[in-house]
Amino acid sequence: MPDPMLPLTFLNLLAEFRGVFTGPSFENYQVLVSGFVHSLGRHGISDAIRAAGPAAHKHYSAYYRFFSRATWSLDEFGICLLALVIGTLHVVGVEVELVLDDTLTRGTGKKVALATMHADPLRRQGKRPFMAYGHVFVVLSVHVRLPLLAPTGWALPFMFRVYEGSRRGGRADSPSDQGRAFSRRRQRKQQRKRARLTDVTVIDGQLQKCAPRLDDEPLPDDMRKTKLQLATEMLLKVAANFPNVQFRVLADHLYSGKTVLHGVHSKTDNMHFTIRGRPNAALYELPPPYEGSGRPRVKGKQLPSPEKWASQNPDAFEPVKVIIYGKPVEVMLASLVGMPYRSLPGQLVRYVIVKDRRGIYKTDYLFDTDIKTTAVQVVEGYARRWPLERSFQDAKQKLGMEQHQTQLPASVRRCAPFSMLTYSLVVLWYLLDGHHLAKKMTAYHDPWYPKTARPSFTEMLACLRRASWTEAFLDPPLEGGTRQKFLAAYLARVVASG
């Protein structure tokens, strides 16, 4: 089999995951990663097969089955990736930061498995929600920093769960299905009978995996896992696989509920949380010692809410300079300690109140489950949640996370995460080896695009492509005629993939 058109350093990185796959699946995995890297237009599976070049020598169905039927686990891949990141980019004993969030991948077609209606934050008009059809993925990523390369870090997604909403939607055929149906009617052919499938079922009141079956009705509300339950499931899996590593989870206010906080803290002791809180949160003192009569108290005296405490203690705020998104910003900070009984009974948290001195931005309320953490550390830590939003943007725009057009349940669960895992591998390769190659390459910069202090994913992807082309076309050097034929064949496939 011809080798995938990737530099040796990147192939060595992919070899770290050989144990996750069988032999044939690992070959398909290398081909698909090469295709996703080199595809210049859409990133459907067929586009990736074309862009992979001669390395994609198998029947095209083998690469589709890699997503729909092959025996490999996304969780095993994610644990392997996290172990690789911890071993290569983190010093032993340093707290590892995990970023938790969810993202929507929009789609069309009533036969697409697991697709439901979800609120689309990007299309919302004021306070009116906008509903979009597609899939929501709850994503757990690891935050990595290389101060010598950039003042801010990167969030590398490594674990995923599909959230299935309650509203089915998708009653109309997708445009591609409508076109195929019209063409078959004109040719007087029998219409294709395709149905929406699912891979879960309810047995004895429990939600269990099953072989793909007809999805004839939505899951009961009490059987469908919420985003918080999916997030808790991933966090506990990470904590169990790395019992000697201390983690800090950075998340938005959605994940500040009891399901996540109490669900994780009651089962493991190697995770702390930095999360946006509520201004009207109910805080209490810890319960007094049990005196031996009656039922033991579960909470002490109620404290003022963070918003009320801030209005009662204006002198508690101090001007402090914090590093947010790589830049120093002066804010007013104050903090208090209390127990959020509803979400984390029996444990104190540090609430940090952040005010803008200029009065432009509204007051923010953050809390940390480790009361030893300072207010500055809480604010700077929460700001490091933002790189995951940029990861979502790059995975959608550069690696086609919304363009796979798959319909089977297993393919739906794997294709979008595959794009995000490819993003993580490209960034990790650049941090380990690619930035050395980038210094040797002649850089091209548009005159209207100023050079930024942080390498963009576009620059990382361009560096990987240039390194791949250099090794394929120039090292070892090919004879003139052979080189021209090889280059022409490669360009024809890449252009066809766009």
Side-chain angles (χ1 to χ4, degrees):
M1 138 180 173
D3 292 331
M5 192 181 296
L6 293 169
L8 182 60
T9 52
F10 195 85
L11 290 175
N12 291 337
L13 178 61
L14 297 184
E16 297 288 339
F17 305 94
R18 184 183 294 273
V20 178
F21 305 97
T22 62
S25 291
F26 183 70
E27 293 179 1
N28 297 341
Y29 165 70
Q30 288 181 306
V31 170
L32 288 167
V33 171
S34 175
F36 272 68
V37 167
H38 291 292
S39 184
L40 302 181
R42 293 183 59 84
H43 282 72
I45 299 177
S46 297
D47 303 314
I49 296 172
R50 296 190 193 99
H57 67 288
K58 298 182 181 179
H59 192 271
Y60 71 90
S61 62
Y63 302 104
Y64 279 89
R65 288 171 183 159
F66 173 81
F67 294 104
S68 63
R69 299 184 183 180
T71 305
W72 60 281
S73 170
L74 271 174
D75 283 357
E76 290 182 13
F77 191 104
I79 293 297
C80 185
L81 176 58
L82 180 59
L84 183 62
V85 170
I86 293 176
T88 56
L89 295 180
H90 285 91
V91 181
V92 177
V94 174
E95 191 175 57
V96 178
E97 292 182 341
L98 305 179
V99 187
L100 176 66
D101 206 348
D102 55 82
T103 185
L104 169 66
T105 60
R106 304 165 190 85
T108 57
K110 63 183 180 182
K111 303 181 183 71
V112 179
L114 311 177
T116 50
M117 301 296 293
H118 302 278
D120 190 341
L122 298 182
R123 299 180 182 179
R124 183 179 60 186
Q125 298 179 356
K127 295 184 179 180
R128 294 181 58 188
F130 186 95
M131 305 301 292
Y133 184 70
H135 303 93
V136 165
F137 289 87
V138 182
V139 181
L140 186 62
S141 65
V142 55
H143 184 265
V144 298
R145 285 176 286 175
L146 228 61
L148 297 178
L149 191 60
T152 57
W154 293 265
L156 309 185
F158 69 91
M159 195 169 286
F160 316 87
R161 292 290 186 274
V162 181
Y163 167 69
E164 191 172 355
S166 59
R167 298 178 59 181
R168 292 290 291 268
R171 293 182 174 87
D173 284 326
S174 65
S176 57
D177 280 344
Q178 293 176 11
R180 281 191 287 266
F182 177 74
S183 177
R184 284 181 171 272
R185 283 196 300 270
R186 289 189 60 184
Q187 299 175 21
R188 298 183 179 180
K189 293 183 178 180
Q190 185 178 2
Q191 294 294 327
R192 298 177 64 182
K193 296 182 179 179
R194 301 163 70 184
R196 172 178 169 133
L197 303 178
T198 184
D199 58 354
V200 293
T201 187
V202 179
I203 300 178
D204 297 332
Q206 298 291 328
L207 193 64
Q208 298 182 10
K209 297 281 290 184
C210 67
R213 64 174 182 85
L214 185 64
D215 188 5
D216 49 2
E217 60 181 359
L219 293 173
D221 289 342
D222 57 343
M223 291 287 101
R224 191 176 57 254
K225 291 186 178 181
T226 65
K227 294 180 183 178
L228 276 68
Q229 291 173 329
L230 297 173
T232 304
E233 183 181 303
M234 292 190 292
L235 292 172
L236 290 177
K237 194 175 190 69
V238 171
N241 280 274
F242 300 91
N244 299 323
V245 179
Q246 186 64 44
F247 294 100
R248 179 171 299 277
V249 182
L250 314 175
D252 207 352
H253 64 90
L254 173 66
Y255 299 96
S256 63
K258 184 177 182 179
T259 302
V260 175
L261 296 181
H262 183 66
V264 173
H265 274 278
S266 63
K267 297 180 180 178
T268 183
D269 58 355
N270 63 336
M271 279 193 176
H272 287 297
F273 290 81
T274 301
I275 300 184
R276 172 177 280 149
R278 298 171 59 93
N280 60 345
L283 301 179
Y284 300 85
E285 294 179 351
L286 288 176
Y290 182 55
E291 298 178 354
S293 60
R295 190 183 68 174
R297 294 187 62 180
V298 295
K299 54 187 175 182
K301 177 184 176 183
Q302 184 170 7
L303 302 174
S305 66
E307 186 177 34
K308 187 175 181 180
W309 183 90
S311 62
Q312 294 174 350
N313 299 273
D315 297 335
F317 288 86
E318 297 179 354
V320 180
K321 278 192 175 181
V322 295
I323 305 299
I324 299 180
Y325 312 131
K327 297 181 180 180
V329 179
E330 189 168 347
V331 295
M332 302 291 292
L333 295 183
S335 67
L336 69 154
V337 175
M339 179 185 68
Y341 176 73
R342 293 181 181 177
S343 57
L344 195 58
Q347 182 169 337
L348 295 175
V349 302
R350 178 174 297 280
Y351 248 90
V352 178
I353 306 169
V354 188
K355 286 187 176 182
D356 181 15
R357 296 193 68 182
R358 300 169 296 175
I360 299 176
Y361 301 102
K362 64 179 182 180
T363 303
D364 211 345
Y365 301 86
L366 313 175
F367 72 86
D368 197 292
T369 57
D370 183 7
I371 60 174
K372 297 178 182 179
T373 307
T374 65
V376 173
Q377 291 173 332
V378 172
V379 176
E380 293 182 344
Y382 184 78
R384 290 193 287 272
R385 189 189 64 86
W386 181 250
L388 183 55
E389 302 290 349
R390 301 187 65 173
S391 301
F392 292 153
Q393 180 187 32
D394 290 329
K396 291 177 181 180
Q397 294 183 354
K398 304 299 180 182
L399 296 176
M401 194 170 79
E402 297 179 307
Q403 301 172 354
H404 300 304
Q405 295 181 323
T406 51
Q407 296 183 345
L408 296 179
S411 299
V412 168
R413 295 185 188 276
R414 288 173 168 177
C415 280
F418 187 87
S419 291
M420 287 186 271
L421 288 172
T422 303
Y423 168 88
S424 299
L425 292 174
V426 172
V427 175
L428 182 59
W429 170 82
Y430 188 88
L431 298 181
L432 295 176
D433 302 294
H435 68 279
H436 299 297
L437 296 175
K439 295 178 181 178
K440 302 176 183 178
M441 295 179 178
T442 303
Y444 171 78
H445 297 291
D446 295 314
W448 58 85
Y449 183 75
K451 177 65 177 177
T452 58
R454 181 182 186 272
S456 67
F457 181 71
T458 301
E459 295 170 339
M460 296 180 179
L461 193 59
C463 178
L464 178 57
R465 287 170 175 167
R466 291 179 65 179
S468 304
W469 298 338
T470 299
E471 291 191 8
F473 300 138
L474 303 178
D475 186 19
L478 302 174
E479 297 180 1
T482 305
R483 179 186 303 172
Q484 291 177 0
K485 292 179 181 178
F486 188 78
L487 180 60
Y490 169 73
L491 292 178
R493 296 179 74 118
V494 170
V495 171
S497 68

PDB file of all heavy atoms in Angstrom, residues 372-389:
ATOM      1  N   LYS A 372      -8.742  27.327  48.167  1.00  0.00           N
ATOM      2  CA  LYS A 372      -7.359  27.808  48.242  1.00  0.00           C
ATOM      3  C   LYS A 372      -6.975  28.624  47.010  1.00  0.00           C
ATOM      4  O   LYS A 372      -5.974  29.334  47.017  1.00  0.00           O
ATOM      5  CB  LYS A 372      -6.402  26.627  48.403  1.00  0.00           C
ATOM      6  CG  LYS A 372      -6.608  25.830  49.685  1.00  0.00           C
ATOM      7  CD  LYS A 372      -5.651  24.658  49.747  1.00  0.00           C
ATOM      8  CE  LYS A 372      -5.880  23.827  51.007  1.00  0.00           C
ATOM      9  NZ  LYS A 372      -4.966  22.649  51.066  1.00  0.00           N
ATOM     10  N   THR A 373      -7.753  28.515  45.955  1.00  0.00           N
ATOM     11  CA  THR A 373      -7.472  29.266  44.729  1.00  0.00           C
ATOM     12  C   THR A 373      -7.768  30.739  44.948  1.00  0.00           C
ATOM     13  O   THR A 373      -8.809  31.100  45.505  1.00  0.00           O
ATOM     14  CB  THR A 373      -8.333  28.732  43.574  1.00  0.00           C
ATOM     15  OG1 THR A 373      -8.162  27.321  43.473  1.00  0.00           O
ATOM     16  CG2 THR A 373      -7.935  29.370  42.257  1.00  0.00           C
ATOM     17  N   THR A 374      -6.879  31.611  44.477  1.00  0.00           N
ATOM     18  CA  THR A 374      -7.076  33.046  44.637  1.00  0.00           C
ATOM     19  C   THR A 374      -8.065  33.570  43.605  1.00  0.00           C
ATOM     20  O   THR A 374      -8.356  32.905  42.598  1.00  0.00           O
ATOM     21  CB  THR A 374      -5.743  33.783  44.489  1.00  0.00           C
ATOM     22  OG1 THR A 374      -5.257  33.624  43.138  1.00  0.00           O
ATOM     23  CG2 THR A 374      -4.698  33.235  45.461  1.00  0.00           C
ATOM     24  N   ALA A 375      -8.564  34.780  43.852  1.00  0.00           N
ATOM     25  CA  ALA A 375      -9.533  35.385  42.936  1.00  0.00           C
ATOM     26  C   ALA A 375      -8.919  35.608  41.562  1.00  0.00           C
ATOM     27  O   ALA A 375      -9.584  35.413  40.533  1.00  0.00           O
ATOM     28  CB  ALA A 375     -10.041  36.706  43.519  1.00  0.00           C
ATOM     29  N   VAL A 376      -7.654  36.018  41.523  1.00  0.00           N
ATOM     30  CA  VAL A 376      -6.983  36.238  40.225  1.00  0.00           C
ATOM     31  C   VAL A 376      -6.882  34.928  39.462  1.00  0.00           C
ATOM     32  O   VAL A 376      -7.125  34.873  38.239  1.00  0.00           O
ATOM     33  CB  VAL A 376      -5.596  36.864  40.453  1.00  0.00           C
ATOM     34  CG1 VAL A 376      -4.826  36.936  39.130  1.00  0.00           C
ATOM     35  CG2 VAL A 376      -5.728  38.252  41.058  1.00  0.00           C
ATOM     36  N   GLN A 377      -6.522  33.848  40.127  1.00  0.00           N
ATOM     37  CA  GLN A 377      -6.412  32.553  39.463  1.00  0.00           C
ATOM     38  C   GLN A 377      -7.758  32.083  38.925  1.00  0.00           C
ATOM     39  O   GLN A 377      -7.824  31.460  37.861  1.00  0.00           O
ATOM     40  CB  GLN A 377      -5.842  31.520  40.439  1.00  0.00           C
ATOM     41  CG  GLN A 377      -4.384  31.754  40.801  1.00  0.00           C
ATOM     42  CD  GLN A 377      -3.906  30.807  41.889  1.00  0.00           C
ATOM     43  OE1 GLN A 377      -4.685  30.336  42.725  1.00  0.00           O
ATOM     44  NE2 GLN A 377      -2.606  30.515  41.898  1.00  0.00           N
ATOM     45  N   VAL A 378      -8.832  32.380  39.638  1.00  0.00           N
ATOM     46  CA  VAL A 378     -10.161  31.982  39.179  1.00  0.00           C
ATOM     47  C   VAL A 378     -10.522  32.720  37.889  1.00  0.00           C
ATOM     48  O   VAL A 378     -10.992  32.114  36.913  1.00  0.00           O
ATOM     49  CB  VAL A 378     -11.213  32.256  40.265  1.00  0.00           C
ATOM     50  CG1 VAL A 378     -12.625  32.031  39.722  1.00  0.00           C
ATOM     51  CG2 VAL A 378     -10.973  31.366  41.475  1.00  0.00           C
ATOM     52  N   VAL A 379     -10.293  34.029  37.861  1.00  0.00           N
ATOM     53  CA  VAL A 379     -10.645  34.824  36.675  1.00  0.00           C
ATOM     54  C   VAL A 379      -9.790  34.420  35.483  1.00  0.00           C
ATOM     55  O   VAL A 379     -10.298  34.216  34.373  1.00  0.00           O
ATOM     56  CB  VAL A 379     -10.484  36.330  36.984  1.00  0.00           C
ATOM     57  CG1 VAL A 379     -10.740  37.162  35.733  1.00  0.00           C
ATOM     58  CG2 VAL A 379     -11.460  36.740  38.089  1.00  0.00           C
ATOM     59  N   GLU A 380      -8.487  34.303  35.680  1.00  0.00           N
ATOM     60  CA  GLU A 380      -7.607  33.930  34.571  1.00  0.00           C
ATOM     61  C   GLU A 380      -7.888  32.507  34.103  1.00  0.00           C
ATOM     62  O   GLU A 380      -7.814  32.222  32.900  1.00  0.00           O
ATOM     63  CB  GLU A 380      -6.153  34.076  35.001  1.00  0.00           C
ATOM     64  CG  GLU A 380      -5.725  35.514  35.246  1.00  0.00           C
ATOM     65  CD  GLU A 380      -4.275  35.642  35.635  1.00  0.00           C
ATOM     66  OE1 GLU A 380      -3.659  34.608  36.007  1.00  0.00           O
ATOM     67  OE2 GLU A 380      -3.726  36.759  35.580  1.00  0.00           O
ATOM     68  N   GLY A 381      -8.219  31.613  35.031  1.00  0.00           N
ATOM     69  CA  GLY A 381      -8.527  30.243  34.641  1.00  0.00           C
ATOM     70  C   GLY A 381      -9.802  30.157  33.819  1.00  0.00           C
ATOM     71  O   GLY A 381      -9.846  29.450  32.805  1.00  0.00           O
ATOM     72  N   TYR A 382     -10.841  30.887  34.230  1.00  0.00           N
ATOM     73  CA  TYR A 382     -12.090  30.837  33.473  1.00  0.00           C
ATOM     74  C   TYR A 382     -11.917  31.405  32.063  1.00  0.00           C
ATOM     75  O   TYR A 382     -12.552  30.940  31.113  1.00  0.00           O
ATOM     76  CB  TYR A 382     -13.182  31.608  34.209  1.00  0.00           C
ATOM     77  CG  TYR A 382     -14.526  31.520  33.535  1.00  0.00           C
ATOM     78  CD1 TYR A 382     -15.307  30.386  33.655  1.00  0.00           C
ATOM     79  CD2 TYR A 382     -15.002  32.575  32.752  1.00  0.00           C
ATOM     80  CE1 TYR A 382     -16.535  30.282  33.026  1.00  0.00           C
ATOM     81  CE2 TYR A 382     -16.232  32.476  32.118  1.00  0.00           C
ATOM     82  CZ  TYR A 382     -16.990  31.332  32.256  1.00  0.00           C
ATOM     83  OH  TYR A 382     -18.197  31.245  31.618  1.00  0.00           O
ATOM     84  N   ALA A 383     -11.047  32.408  31.913  1.00  0.00           N
ATOM     85  CA  ALA A 383     -10.805  32.982  30.585  1.00  0.00           C
ATOM     86  C   ALA A 383     -10.180  31.964  29.642  1.00  0.00           C
ATOM     87  O   ALA A 383     -10.321  32.084  28.416  1.00  0.00           O
ATOM     88  CB  ALA A 383      -9.912  34.217  30.700  1.00  0.00           C
ATOM     89  N   ARG A 384      -9.499  30.966  30.185  1.00  0.00           N
ATOM     90  CA  ARG A 384      -8.878  29.950  29.326  1.00  0.00           C
ATOM     91  C   ARG A 384      -9.896  28.944  28.788  1.00  0.00           C
ATOM     92  O   ARG A 384      -9.523  27.981  28.097  1.00  0.00           O
ATOM     93  CB  ARG A 384      -7.770  29.230  30.099  1.00  0.00           C
ATOM     94  CG  ARG A 384      -6.562  30.115  30.363  1.00  0.00           C
ATOM     95  CD  ARG A 384      -5.365  29.319  30.851  1.00  0.00           C
ATOM     96  NE  ARG A 384      -5.530  28.865  32.219  1.00  0.00           N
ATOM     97  CZ  ARG A 384      -5.182  29.553  33.300  1.00  0.00           C
ATOM     98  NH1 ARG A 384      -4.642  30.773  33.148  1.00  0.00           N
ATOM     99  NH2 ARG A 384      -5.348  29.066  34.507  1.00  0.00           N
ATOM    100  N   ARG A 385     -11.167  29.165  29.069  1.00  0.00           N
ATOM    101  CA  ARG A 385     -12.225  28.351  28.469  1.00  0.00           C
ATOM    102  C   ARG A 385     -12.469  28.722  27.010  1.00  0.00           C
ATOM    103  O   ARG A 385     -12.945  27.905  26.210  1.00  0.00           O
ATOM    104  CB  ARG A 385     -13.516  28.545  29.273  1.00  0.00           C
ATOM    105  CG  ARG A 385     -14.654  27.633  28.927  1.00  0.00           C
ATOM    106  CD  ARG A 385     -15.921  28.065  29.638  1.00  0.00           C
ATOM    107  NE  ARG A 385     -16.357  29.376  29.185  1.00  0.00           N
ATOM    108  CZ  ARG A 385     -17.132  29.567  28.116  1.00  0.00           C
ATOM    109  NH1 ARG A 385     -17.538  28.555  27.386  1.00  0.00           N
ATOM    110  NH2 ARG A 385     -17.496  30.794  27.776  1.00  0.00           N
ATOM    111  N   TRP A 386     -12.104  29.949  26.628  1.00  0.00           N
ATOM    112  CA  TRP A 386     -12.446  30.456  25.299  1.00  0.00           C
ATOM    113  C   TRP A 386     -11.783  29.699  24.142  1.00  0.00           C
ATOM    114  O   TRP A 386     -12.389  29.564  23.065  1.00  0.00           O
ATOM    115  CB  TRP A 386     -12.095  31.943  25.203  1.00  0.00           C
ATOM    116  CG  TRP A 386     -12.440  32.540  23.884  1.00  0.00           C
ATOM    117  CD1 TRP A 386     -11.584  32.955  22.909  1.00  0.00           C
ATOM    118  CD2 TRP A 386     -13.753  32.764  23.358  1.00  0.00           C
ATOM    119  NE1 TRP A 386     -12.263  33.428  21.822  1.00  0.00           N
ATOM    120  CE2 TRP A 386     -13.606  33.321  22.073  1.00  0.00           C
ATOM    121  CE3 TRP A 386     -15.035  32.550  23.863  1.00  0.00           C
ATOM    122  CZ2 TRP A 386     -14.688  33.676  21.282  1.00  0.00           C
ATOM    123  CZ3 TRP A 386     -16.119  32.891  23.065  1.00  0.00           C
ATOM    124  CH2 TRP A 386     -15.933  33.446  21.805  1.00  0.00           C
ATOM    125  N   PRO A 387     -10.534  29.191  24.261  1.00  0.00           N
ATOM    126  CA  PRO A 387      -9.944  28.483  23.118  1.00  0.00           C
ATOM    127  C   PRO A 387     -10.787  27.345  22.565  1.00  0.00           C
ATOM    128  O   PRO A 387     -10.667  27.010  21.384  1.00  0.00           O
ATOM    129  CB  PRO A 387      -8.609  27.977  23.685  1.00  0.00           C
ATOM    130  CG  PRO A 387      -8.242  28.973  24.721  1.00  0.00           C
ATOM    131  CD  PRO A 387      -9.550  29.378  25.339  1.00  0.00           C
ATOM    132  N   LEU A 388     -11.655  26.729  23.385  1.00  0.00           N
ATOM    133  CA  LEU A 388     -12.493  25.661  22.853  1.00  0.00           C
ATOM    134  C   LEU A 388     -13.488  26.193  21.831  1.00  0.00           C
ATOM    135  O   LEU A 388     -13.814  25.507  20.854  1.00  0.00           O
ATOM    136  CB  LEU A 388     -13.237  24.954  23.988  1.00  0.00           C
ATOM    137  CG  LEU A 388     -14.105  23.757  23.585  1.00  0.00           C
ATOM    138  CD1 LEU A 388     -13.301  22.727  22.809  1.00  0.00           C
ATOM    139  CD2 LEU A 388     -14.753  23.111  24.797  1.00  0.00           C
ATOM    140  N   GLU A 389     -13.963  27.426  22.007  1.00  0.00           N
ATOM    141  CA  GLU A 389     -14.849  28.021  21.005  1.00  0.00           C
ATOM    142  C   GLU A 389     -14.119  28.198  19.673  1.00  0.00           C
ATOM    143  O   GLU A 389     -14.698  27.987  18.598  1.00  0.00           O
ATOM    144  CB  GLU A 389     -15.370  29.375  21.501  1.00  0.00           C
ATOM    145  CG  GLU A 389     -16.137  29.316  22.824  1.00  0.00           C
ATOM    146  CD  GLU A 389     -17.482  28.622  22.678  1.00  0.00           C
ATOM    147  OE1 GLU A 389     -17.911  28.382  21.536  1.00  0.00           O
ATOM    148  OE2 GLU A 389     -18.095  28.317  23.717  1.00  0.00           O
TER     149      GLU A 389
END
